[in-house]
Amino acid sequence: KIAQATGTLFGGRHSLVRKTQKSFDASTVGSNLWDFMLPISLLILSTVVEILISGEFFIFGGANGIVQTLLTANIPVALFKSSFYTVVIASVYFIFRKKIQFKDLRLISKEGWALMWSSLLFLLLIWTFGAILKNDLKIGAFVAQHITHINICYLPVILFLVSGAVTTLMCSAWG
């Protein structure tokens, strides 16, 4: 009854939680589907292009085919560059369309960093650990040698459990 009468759950009183700083409220700005799709499309397109460039794909002046390009591409650098391009271009686009103001970029960046730092740290640790497993411990040769002892029927279950563990441990911003 209180919520229906007052519009809050606090019976007309203010909540006990204090806000320490202003938060950017995107709901006050009218948005459309294009505002959502542009940054995502730009990120995907620029990531693919950067991977092909770093792998020296023949379309971009290199000598490699698609398979060799994917094997030699520098994926972390390509992801960094494409993310940077996307943030800069999307920010300029939204400022130009008056969806955000230039003075709000600092606050938006701070909130974005707070949301994503654990995922970025996890990716950095994965890349570091992956390089150690591949180059120093030669884990690929070990698995290839011992995979004959595993029944192929259990492979989907093993892959599901490993991917579930990685997803759970990541604790990312997407859930």
Side-chain angles (χ1 to χ4, degrees):
K1 287 184 169 185
I2 294 173
Q4 288 176 343
T6 64
T8 67
L9 295 176
F10 305 108
R13 295 183 307 243
H14 294 289
S15 68
L16 298 177
V17 178
R18 287 182 282 147
K19 285 196 151 192
T20 57
Q21 72 179 21
K22 152 184 146 175
S23 179
F24 180 75
D25 187 14
S27 64
T28 61
V29 181
S31 298
N32 56 32
L33 185 61
W34 181 248
D35 293 341
F36 174 72
M37 292 302 294
L38 176 74
I40 292 174
S41 303
L42 185 62
L43 179 64
I44 292 170
L45 180 68
S46 61
T47 301
V48 169
V49 168
E50 281 297 325
I51 288 172
L52 295 177
I53 289 172
S54 72
E56 299 180 358
F57 191 51
F58 69 90
I59 290 177
F60 296 105
N64 294 336
I66 190 69
V67 174
Q68 189 63 29
T69 295
L70 294 176
L71 288 174
T72 60
N74 192 347
I75 304 296
V77 172
L79 286 173
F80 175 79
K81 285 181 176 180
S82 62
S83 298
F84 181 76
Y85 300 151
T86 301
V87 167
V88 169
I89 293 170
S91 296
V92 169
Y93 169 76
F94 288 125
I95 290 171
F96 178 73
R97 299 234 324 146
K98 298 186 183 347
K99 300 290 183 177
I100 60 174
Q101 295 178 357
F102 185 77
K103 65 179 182 170
D104 292 330
L105 282 180
R106 187 175 142 266
L107 183 61
I108 292 169
S109 299
K110 186 176 179 181
E111 288 182 8
W113 176 255
L115 184 66
M116 295 303 298
W117 78 270
S118 63
S119 299
L120 294 172
L121 180 64
F122 191 75
L123 283 174
L124 180 67
L125 292 174
I126 285 175
W127 286 327
T128 304
F129 190 60
I132 291 170
L133 290 177
K134 179 181 176 185
N135 301 330
D136 298 335
L137 297 178
K138 309 286 187 209
I139 201 74
F142 176 79
V143 170
Q145 181 182 0
H146 290 87
I147 194 96
T148 57
H149 303 293
I150 298 173
N151 189 346
I152 196 73
C153 297
Y154 296 123
L155 194 58
V157 173
I158 292 170
L159 293 176
F160 176 77
L161 292 174
V162 169
S163 64
V166 168
T167 303
T168 302
L169 292 173
M170 188 164 179
C171 298
S172 72
W174 299 287

